[in-house]
Amino acid sequence: MLLSLAGAAFLAAGFVAEAHEISGVRGDCSPDCGLAMEIGAYLKNGDANASGAISFADSHLSEVHRGVKGPAHDGSLAQEIVDYLHGTAAASKAKLAPNEGVKLAAAAVPAAQSQDQREYVGQPRCVACHAQEGQNWAHTIHAKVFGLNPRNALESAGCEACHGPGSVHVQNPAQPLSIIRFSKRSQIPIAQQNAQCLNCHRGGQRIFWPNSVHESRDLACSDCHNPMANFSARGLQARASINETCFQCHKTQRAQFTRRSHMPLLEGKITCADCHNPHGSTTEPLLKADSVNDVCFTCHAEKRGPFLFEHAPVRDNCLNCHSPHGSNNEKLLVTARPILCQSCHAQNGHPAELLTRGYLANGPLPDVRLINRSCSNCHAQIHGSNSPSGSRFER
Amino acid sequence: MKGKRCRRTLFFRALLASTSALLILPLNARADSAVGAETATGNAFNPTGQIFSLQPDPLGLSALYENSRSPTGLLYLRPLSLPEMVQSSSDPDWWSSAWAEAGYLGNAGRMGASGSLQYSDLKTGFLLSSAGFLAENRKTAFYVSGEAQEVARDDQSYRLTFGKYGLYGATLFYDSIPHVFTTQATVLWNGIGTGRLTLPSELTPGASTTPQVQAALSTIMPTVLSLKREKAGLTATYTPTDDSEVFLRVTNEWRDGTRPIGGTFGYPGMAGETEIVEPIHYRTLDLAAGARFKGEELQWNLTYAGSFFRNDVPALVWDNPGLTLNLPPGSFVPTQGRMALPPDNEYHALKGDLAWAFTDGRFAANASYSKMLQDASLIAPTIDSGIIHGVSTAIDLNNWNTVAALSQRTANAEINTFNAFAQLQFNPTSDLLVDFEVRDRNQDNRTNYVAFNPLTGQYGYIAIDGGLAPFIPRLSGIYEPAVPGSRVQIRNIPFSTDTLDLTAKASYRLDNRDRIELTYTDKLVHRTDREVPNAQDNRVTLQYASRAHEWGTFRLSYQFAILDGDDYNSFPYGAFNSTSLPGYVPRFAAGDAPFTLGPLRKYDVANRTEHVGKAQTNFMLSDKVDFQLTGDFKLDDYDADYGLKRADTYDLNAELNYQISRTTTANVYYSFQSHSRDMANINPRGPQSPSDAAGSPTYPLANAWGGAADDRNHVIGAGVNHRIGDVTIDLNYTYTHSTSALSYFYASTGAFFNALTPAQAGTAFPDSTFDHHLLETSVLWKYTEKLGIRAYYRLEYAHIDDFHYAGLTNLVANNLFLGAIPENYTAHVFGLFFQYSY
């Protein structure tokens, strides 16, 4: 089904994609690099059968063999590309049958076990085929660190630092497990994909990543990040910003932030990561601190107190009264006052009287308990009072 | 203001000095997902903080395929087409790029505090919307980048980052967030923004008449009430080895401005409400520093965090115009009120994390200890003078308007919190993961304040500066031993909590792409001085995640929870009331008056049954089309006849993303959300007997009533991005429609003391609604590689109906309001900008 929907224009490209969902880097190009770029151009232009690309590669190879190309062109890369392009169709057709992925993954275990024998081929070999990926990646922070100041041998490996040694992939690009891919079609288990990232990014903010809410739902690092290009101003997010990245899945929260009462998240002034640590924490909602209130106090330090007189549900959990992602009511309240307050208060006096529309400002008996800010008209210091006369939060 | 500017200059100097010092100690800065809250880089004009001159690259991520998807199966977008950096002619090791966009922003229509003005600055005028640069030395790997957005506007931000790739770096930043509450406040008082609000000369504190106040109000022009949060800071990290990292974060926030706040001199039926203006002059210094070790087997973090909040205006004093109702002639009326504003406070936390990986398993733990401290000077119980009368006692306010009337001069408030968490995970088989977790949190409130006046030997306080006693002498605030049932709070209540969570999980991997997990959590909660001292919350969660299908991904979970606690005690506060004093005389011979309705359950501690379901699904309809369907529900059923009885939430979201071609993308989405809750209560007739039962003389069933809230929200969004040659068109639209219905029913008009007829009372408030349209369009024409022109248009429409404000004027039945009602508006914002980049 996927193939039919993909369309003929990118049939060949789709096969190649199946085998080549890996990245490239920008670096010193091999003399055959131009070949790869030209092939890319053919494919981009929609050569349905990649015939132009194959023809061009064949021609290039022929020129190498005839000595038309200089001595720097050894022809091996061109040969690989030609072999690859000629062989891709058969390999991919076999591989793309529905639900074949899992079986292939199981069958491919021996290939994975042979990883120890794999060798690094170097970034130039990667970009020879993956020129566009290389161009995109060159602007990323990874490329700059790996290229300008690698801290260890792994970082020096460039593309292969994340994708693993590429020798098997060069020999057989269509082999699903020839290299570590990060995509929906990847046969590599999510844990193994993530392990590639955690090679460098383990611990620290991610110390509680294992079996966190996101990890236990099989989220991949590359669901939220795409290190292959700059989609976001910072953080190599998969979308244009942290918020848009989170909204990929958390659409309820996106809708909540459009409500009448909301924090300035859609206005670009805060992000989901100001309150949550998506990489894992000791709290179920992935809070960035040990409790809800500790998170809220990060920006609302004036409500931290402690106060002389405390309001029990306030100290217990801000969410007893507030809906942080947005609300139809003022001040992010979970429901309208006075109903909110009257859900708990029935003391003798005035709290438990039913306030009706007749008490509205335009009603026959306007009542200060209902109109404007309702109960908070008088109980203004509801988050806690430091006044010796503030036990009822009026002062 | 001059002083404030000076303070900021000093702070920036300090920051620069510390930065200079940090240059010696190399650091590497980046947004930290575990520490701090400064991850945002945008504004309303540019929410994502992107560079305006960049266009999506039609070549996409790869030449080999047109579209690619994340492991979950969502389409990646087209990456931005970034220009190549330019090599310096004078020093070939240096490369750089830079960009700037500036132009004119105009607007028509009306901006409103409820939306377009609330957190943004889109005023007419010249706008340097964005400018920045990146320079790097490719020999030394040193880099420096800077960025400015919304220059000189209220929502401006700046960022300067420097360091050495992969080794160290630091970021200096400044960000400003406006918050406009209202543009149409009618403020009767002078001194807005200060801690002293005085009445205009034509009014007499405590003795003004309604016509006088009305006349004064008629001469007052509307005022904007707003505040601005400005935060500057430094974040830095240094990675001395591959496995280690140290970091430092220092920020200071200035929050200045005003906001509406309630203030009262009365009681329902007595009038005397005075909505006033709170001065906001806060400063908060936050510090965080720590070290992290990230070995393959052993990892640990050690962090210190400190926060120091200071409020320049610790109390607000305001004149009382003196409007009352139903008060006997000659009654005492306060001339002034004084309320305590948020006091200075400090916070210190030390936190350690540890993780150790071993064969087929991992142990992780966390412990933290924190102190919240507040020792601000206390204000006197009242600021007024005069004589008020309790039930049997004359109270001379001169004995209460001095700090000598306090049992202690400072708050000496303290809460200590200890958190501990431990997690053991191991794999008995390759497919099975077993996880045991224990988490303890102990929050100990050590504040101890007794409301005792050494000058008079009395317990209690002065309720609303003496304003309440003339209307209801029993509510003077002073404990009167001779008066039966003189129940007054005489101590603070140090609410403390101890929670212990025990969790066991078993996660089984059906194959590489399917995972099922069963979790059981037993949460034991102990609260001091609450209605339910001990409670147990048992939760079972089943979740399933499947990536096995090439056409989609599923993530489903269901949770069932039962919270069950001790017998409910509706008055656990006896020790903090005069009822605990020797000689206290109950209201009735058979016992004291009920404190509250016995069967009412406060929902934060009530027994509850809960069902929570969540579903995340996405389908790959074709190589170019994604469809997502997500939803969740949360059903809370409280074991309560009165109080909150039920709260249900349902959410459903659908989204379609279509990457039509390499140059065109489109998306459309819809979200529906509902939240409903039912509650019930009984209007007490006043103390009639000791019984707190429903149906008792105090709480007759004839006065019973119930309320039902029903919120419905619909959000529709659509977006298109299309590139034609050198022109990129971006168009986004969002429509939000919210309806909140609040209905009620009652057994008889006794529910509101027969003050209204059923026809007047009705059965529901007018629905509160919110309609909001936001259309944003941007057309960018890259005239050359370096030069571009961008046209911008934004239409924002908002309409709010909120029953709280129906018919509200500045003076309602001798209650004074600012008139800060939600603002409806239609705003057009348009702009033409010129870009330069290389």
Side-chain angles (χ1 to χ4, degrees):
Chain A
M1 184 182 74
L2 285 170
L3 280 174
S4 63
L5 289 171
F10 278 87
L11 188 64
F15 292 157
V16 176
E18 177 63 16
H20 274 215
E21 285 183 357
I22 63 168
S23 64
V25 294
R26 178 177 177 77
D28 297 333
C29 291
S30 78
D32 288 321
C33 189
L35 167 68
M37 290 181 178
E38 289 287 347
I39 290 173
Y42 274 104
L43 295 174
K44 267 184 271 182
N45 289 332
D47 188 324
N49 295 311
S51 58
I54 294 171
S55 170
F56 183 83
D58 278 338
S59 165
H60 181 93
L61 189 58
S62 171
E63 287 179 351
V64 170
H65 291 161
R66 284 187 284 113
V68 176
K69 295 285 184 187
H73 295 259
D74 65 9
S76 60
L77 176 59
Q79 184 65 58
E80 286 169 17
I81 293 173
V82 169
D83 292 346
Y84 165 67
L85 289 171
H86 281 305
T88 294
S92 299
K93 278 173 186 167
K95 187 159 53 66
L96 285 177
N99 298 318
E100 282 293 296
V102 174
K103 295 176 193 169
L104 273 171
V109 169
Q113 287 174 340
S114 68
Q115 199 156 1
D116 289 346
Q117 286 80 52
R118 297 182 184 199
E119 293 176 355
Y120 290 97
V121 297
Q123 187 169 303
R125 293 296 294 273
C126 304
V127 297
C129 293
H130 299 283
Q132 178 66 20
E133 289 92 329
Q135 278 199 340
N136 287 329
W137 189 73
H139 295 282
T140 68
I141 185 69
H142 279 149
K144 292 175 187 298
V145 171
F146 293 5
L148 300 180
N149 189 28
R151 300 290 302 276
N152 49 48
L154 184 64
E155 290 183 359
S156 300
C159 313
E160 293 165 293
C162 303
H163 292 279
S167 57
V168 172
H169 180 66
V170 168
Q171 291 160 12
N172 186 5
Q175 157 61 250
L177 299 181
S178 65
I179 204 159
I180 297 170
R181 300 176 169 92
F182 305 85
S183 71
K184 174 65 177 171
R185 290 181 178 176
S186 173
Q187 312 276 320
I188 305 292
I190 287 291
Q192 191 178 338
Q193 293 179 38
N194 290 349
Q196 290 301 108
C197 306
L198 294 170
N199 264 337
C200 299
H201 296 287
R202 63 177 171 260
Q205 306 101 311
R206 289 160 290 275
I207 195 167
F208 294 110
W209 168 256
N211 214 20
S212 64
V213 172
H214 280 155
E215 196 272 349
S216 71
R217 284 164 170 77
D218 263 359
L219 256 78
C221 304
S222 46
D223 278 322
C224 303
H225 299 277
N226 190 331
M228 295 308 301
N230 285 320
F231 293 88
S232 59
R234 285 175 188 81
L236 297 177
Q237 310 290 328
R239 291 290 187 269
S241 65
I242 291 172
N243 299 336
E244 291 193 3
T245 299
C246 300
F247 291 157
Q248 285 185 111
C249 296
H250 298 283
K251 300 187 184 301
T252 294
Q253 285 71 26
R254 176 178 63 184
Q256 287 175 319
F257 275 105
T258 69
R259 293 184 183 180
R260 165 193 175 185
S261 172
H262 62 271
M263 287 189 273
L265 186 131
L266 298 182
E267 288 83 357
K269 286 300 184 184
I270 64 170
T271 76
C272 309
D274 285 340
C275 301
H276 299 279
N277 181 353
H279 302 121
S281 84
T282 58
T283 63
E284 191 178 4
L286 299 179
L287 295 176
K288 212 167 176 175
D290 291 325
S291 71
V292 168
N293 286 25
D294 287 344
V295 171
C296 300
F297 295 152
T298 306
C299 294
H300 301 282
E302 80 280 7
K303 294 181 174 61
R304 183 167 53 209
F307 298 99
L308 215 53
F309 294 103
E310 301 244 313
H311 191 185
V314 174
R315 177 58 63 190
D316 198 42
N317 190 333
C318 302
L319 304 189
N320 281 323
C321 300
H322 297 285
S323 174
H325 299 130
S327 168
N328 291 359
N329 307 291
E330 289 183 305
K331 312 294 181 190
L332 296 173
L333 293 174
V334 294
T335 196
R337 296 169 288 191
I339 289 289
L340 171 63
C341 310
Q342 291 178 316
S343 294
C344 289
H345 293 286
Q347 286 96 322
N348 262 305
H350 62 271
E353 181 181 348
L354 172 60
L355 303 172
T356 71
R357 63 187 304 156
Y359 291 154
L360 293 174
N362 55 5
L365 204 59
D367 196 304
V368 72
R369 291 171 291 174
L370 175 64
I371 61 181
N372 201 45
R373 58 183 63 238
S374 191
C375 306
S376 307
N377 282 320
C378 300
H379 303 280
Q381 300 291 352
I382 203 64
H383 295 109
S385 170
N386 220 45
S387 166
S389 295
S391 62
R392 293 176 192 269
F393 310 116
E394 295 148 331
R395 288 291 186 267
Chain B
M1 294 304 288
K2 193 175 177 183
K4 198 184 304 168
R5 218 171 282 133
C6 182
R7 282 202 312 270
R8 284 170 208 189
T9 305
L10 285 172
F11 182 78
F12 279 116
R13 282 180 183 163
L15 270 181
L16 285 171
S18 56
T19 306
S20 305
L22 287 162
L23 283 172
I24 302 165
L25 176 70
L27 299 153
N28 179 22
R30 61 173 176 268
D32 195 315
S33 68
V35 177
E38 296 82 36
T39 58
T41 56
N43 50 71
F45 191 62
N46 180 18
T48 62
Q50 287 284 17
I51 301 171
F52 288 118
S53 57
L54 300 180
Q55 295 174 299
D57 186 352
L59 298 180
L61 278 167
S62 172
L64 302 173
Y65 47 89
E66 183 177 356
N67 300 307
S68 64
R69 296 179 184 278
S70 68
T72 289
L74 300 177
L75 285 162
Y76 287 124
L77 303 176
R78 299 263 174 273
L80 298 172
S81 181
L82 289 158
E84 298 300 330
M85 295 180 76
V86 174
Q87 189 170 21
S88 167
S89 55
S90 58
D91 185 347
D93 291 334
W94 278 95
W95 296 67
S96 67
S97 63
W99 71 92
E101 182 189 86
Y104 186 82
L105 199 68
N107 48 59
R110 179 176 184 273
M111 307 290 249
S114 312
S116 60
L117 280 179
Q118 191 174 19
Y119 299 125
S120 59
D121 184 353
L122 298 171
K123 289 191 292 285
T124 294
F126 172 80
L127 174 62
L128 177 54
S129 56
S130 174
F133 70 94
L134 167 64
E136 62 188 24
N137 186 312
R138 294 188 175 175
K139 185 175 180 183
T140 63
F142 184 83
Y143 67 92
V144 57
S145 69
E147 183 182 25
Q149 293 203 44
E150 298 286 287
V151 174
R153 298 246 169 181
D154 285 345
D155 54 354
Q156 62 191 330
S157 63
Y158 304 88
R159 190 173 289 255
L160 178 69
T161 301
F162 58 89
K164 183 171 183 175
Y165 287 124
L167 184 62
Y168 64 85
T171 297
L172 282 161
F173 70 90
Y174 166 88
D175 186 45
S176 173
I177 308 176
H179 190 157
V180 179
F181 297 97
T182 179
T183 63
Q184 53 192 25
T186 303
V187 185
L188 183 64
W189 293 266
N190 299 316
I192 297 173
T194 73
R196 181 72 178 96
L197 296 174
T198 58
L199 288 169
S201 56
E202 62 268 31
L203 297 179
T204 306
S208 305
T209 65
T210 304
Q212 287 172 335
V213 172
Q214 193 72 66
L217 286 170
S218 66
T219 65
I220 295 168
M221 296 298 291
T223 300
V224 176
L225 299 183
S226 67
L227 60 82
K228 192 157 66 169
R229 290 173 179 241
E230 297 171 277
K231 186 179 255 189
L234 163 73
T235 62
T237 55
Y238 169 50
T239 52
T241 69
D242 289 355
D243 291 337
S244 59
E245 177 182 279
V246 292
F247 67 91
L248 173 69
R249 172 180 168 273
V250 185
T251 68
N252 198 60
E253 184 193 80
W254 299 264
R255 203 182 320 174
D256 291 295
T258 55
R259 67 179 166 200
I261 187 171
T264 186
F265 291 99
Y267 192 82
M270 177 193 162
E273 164 66 15
T274 51
E275 190 179 18
I276 47 179
V277 179
E278 180 182 1
I280 308 292
H281 298 292
Y282 301 161
R283 288 164 290 131
T284 307
L285 174 69
D286 286 316
L287 303 170
R292 292 163 172 160
F293 180 75
K294 311 174 187 180
E296 281 190 43
E297 293 182 353
L298 180 68
Q299 297 152 17
W300 54 259
N301 303 325
L302 188 62
T303 307
Y304 163 78
S307 179
F308 306 86
F309 169 80
R310 297 292 180 265
N311 185 356
D312 288 350
V313 186
L316 173 60
V317 176
W318 76 106
D319 289 346
N320 178 18
L323 302 183
T324 62
L325 285 177
N326 305 316
L327 205 58
S331 296
F332 172 84
V333 175
T335 57
Q336 292 179 342
R338 178 168 59 187
M339 71 169 66
L341 298 179
D344 294 354
N345 68 62
E346 293 180 8
Y347 171 76
H348 304 272
L350 193 61
K351 184 175 184 176
D353 305 318
L354 172 74
W356 175 52
F358 52 87
T359 307
D360 294 330
R362 186 175 191 264
F363 173 76
N366 152 283
S368 68
Y369 184 74
S370 65
K371 275 182 175 290
M372 288 184 268
L373 303 168
Q374 188 264 117
D375 198 23
S377 297
L378 299 177
I379 58 175
T382 184
I383 194 172
D384 281 85
S385 300
I387 305 293
I388 61 173
H389 297 276
V391 176
S392 66
T393 312
I395 303 160
D396 183 353
L397 295 183
N398 285 325
N399 288 328
W400 295 84
N401 64 7
T402 164
V403 291
L406 301 173
S407 61
Q408 63 192 58
R409 299 296 175 90
T410 60
N412 194 24
E414 178 176 341
I415 293 179
N416 300 328
T417 305
F418 174 72
N419 273 286
F421 171 82
Q423 178 189 50
L424 178 65
Q425 302 171 36
F426 62 97
N427 292 84
T429 71
S430 60
D431 295 327
L432 179 64
L433 173 71
V434 178
D435 178 310
F436 295 105
E437 296 173 10
V438 57
R439 183 175 193 266
D440 182 56
R441 177 178 175 83
N442 180 283
Q443 188 162 71
D444 181 17
N445 187 331
R446 299 190 171 189
T447 310
N448 185 10
Y449 172 76
V450 180
F452 176 75
N453 185 341
L455 298 179
T456 64
Q458 291 172 301
Y459 286 93
Y461 60 97
I462 303 299
I464 55 175
D465 285 295
L468 204 47
F471 195 62
I472 306 177
R474 184 176 283 278
L475 298 183
S476 67
I478 302 299
Y479 169 55
E480 299 180 80
V483 177
S486 178
R487 187 164 55 207
V488 174
Q489 186 171 337
I490 59 163
R491 283 185 60 194
N492 72 303
I493 308 176
F495 300 108
S496 295
T497 311
D498 192 2
T499 59
L500 178 67
D501 295 40
L502 303 168
T503 300
K505 291 184 194 175
S507 179
Y508 186 70
R509 191 169 281 289
L510 304 173
D511 56 45
N512 264 347
R513 298 178 172 208
D514 288 273
R515 185 170 174 177
I516 189 165
E517 184 174 281
L518 182 66
T519 304
Y520 171 72
T521 299
D522 184 12
K523 181 175 186 175
L524 305 167
V525 185
H526 173 71
R527 292 184 173 93
T528 60
D529 311 315
R530 288 304 308 272
E531 290 77 2
V532 181
N534 298 291
Q536 192 166 3
D537 194 359
N538 291 283
R539 291 175 178 269
V540 178
T541 309
L542 181 65
Q543 72 178 45
Y544 171 61
S546 174
R547 299 175 52 256
H549 307 286
E550 296 200 359
W551 43 266
T553 298
F554 298 88
R555 295 189 172 99
L556 311 170
S557 72
Y558 168 74
Q559 183 179 80
F560 175 68
I562 293 180
L563 190 153
D564 189 28
D566 291 348
D567 289 344
Y568 192 93
N569 174 10
S570 58
F571 184 53
Y573 314 121
F576 311 97
N577 277 258
S578 52
T579 51
S580 64
L581 292 174
Y584 176 81
V585 181
R587 183 72 172 263
F588 305 105
D592 213 349
F595 175 74
T596 189
L597 174 60
L600 181 138
R601 298 289 177 264
K602 295 184 177 180
Y603 63 87
D604 63 322
V605 295
N607 291 348
R608 180 258 294 128
T609 303
E610 186 175 84
H611 303 264
V612 180
K614 295 178 182 174
Q616 294 272 353
T617 64
N618 58 281
F619 307 91
M620 292 165 283
L621 301 185
S622 79
D623 269 3
K624 297 182 176 183
V625 182
D626 275 349
F627 177 67
Q628 285 179 272
L629 191 63
T630 72
D632 52 81
F633 65 83
K634 183 180 180 192
L635 312 177
D636 283 316
D637 185 10
Y638 293 91
D639 182 19
D641 293 327
Y642 298 94
L644 183 62
K645 302 170 71 171
R646 179 188 67 82
D648 296 343
T649 302
Y650 296 93
D651 302 305
L652 183 67
N653 311 282
E655 177 161 342
L656 189 78
N657 281 290
Y658 184 16
Q659 296 196 350
I660 300 167
S661 71
R662 286 180 176 270
T663 55
T664 308
T665 60
N667 76 301
V668 58
Y669 65 88
Y670 168 73
S671 289
F672 168 77
Q673 301 175 317
S674 80
H675 178 73
S676 61
R677 48 173 61 203
D678 293 337
M679 55 81 65
N681 212 323
I682 298 178
N683 183 26
R685 292 172 57 214
Q688 307 289 320
S689 78
S691 174
D692 63 2
S696 65
T698 304
Y699 290 97
L701 293 177
N703 288 8
W705 60 275
D710 189 4
D711 293 354
R712 301 290 174 101
N713 297 273
H714 305 267
V715 180
I716 297 170
V720 176
N721 184 285
H722 180 55
R723 180 167 174 175
I724 317 165
D726 296 326
V727 177
T728 300
I729 301 166
D730 194 56
L731 188 151
N732 289 288
Y733 169 72
T734 309
Y735 171 57
T736 303
H737 174 70
S738 304
T739 303
S740 297
L742 190 54
S743 60
Y744 43 83
F745 57 92
Y746 44 91
S748 77
T749 53
F752 37 87
F753 294 123
N754 308 307
L756 299 168
T757 66
Q760 289 172 320
T763 57
F765 293 107
D767 286 354
S768 292
T769 61
F770 174 58
D771 285 283
H772 184 259
H773 298 264
L774 178 62
L775 172 68
E776 280 188 294
T777 57
S778 173
V779 180
L780 169 61
W781 177 32
K782 292 288 282 186
Y783 180 65
T784 69
E785 198 174 320
K786 293 184 176 180
L787 295 175
I789 300 172
R790 191 165 75 98
Y792 174 81
Y793 172 69
R794 173 189 174 111
L795 165 66
E796 187 171 4
Y797 165 89
H799 185 92
I800 299 176
D801 275 326
D802 184 335
F803 68 80
H804 296 91
Y805 300 95
L808 185 70
T809 57
N810 296 117
L811 193 56
V812 179
N814 272 5
N815 294 297
L816 263 170
F817 300 100
L818 296 173
I821 63 176
E823 298 171 23
N824 300 325
Y825 60 88
T826 303
H828 304 268
V829 180
F830 47 86
L832 189 63
F833 298 92
F834 296 90
Q835 301 177 343
Y836 176 77
S837 61
Y838 76 87

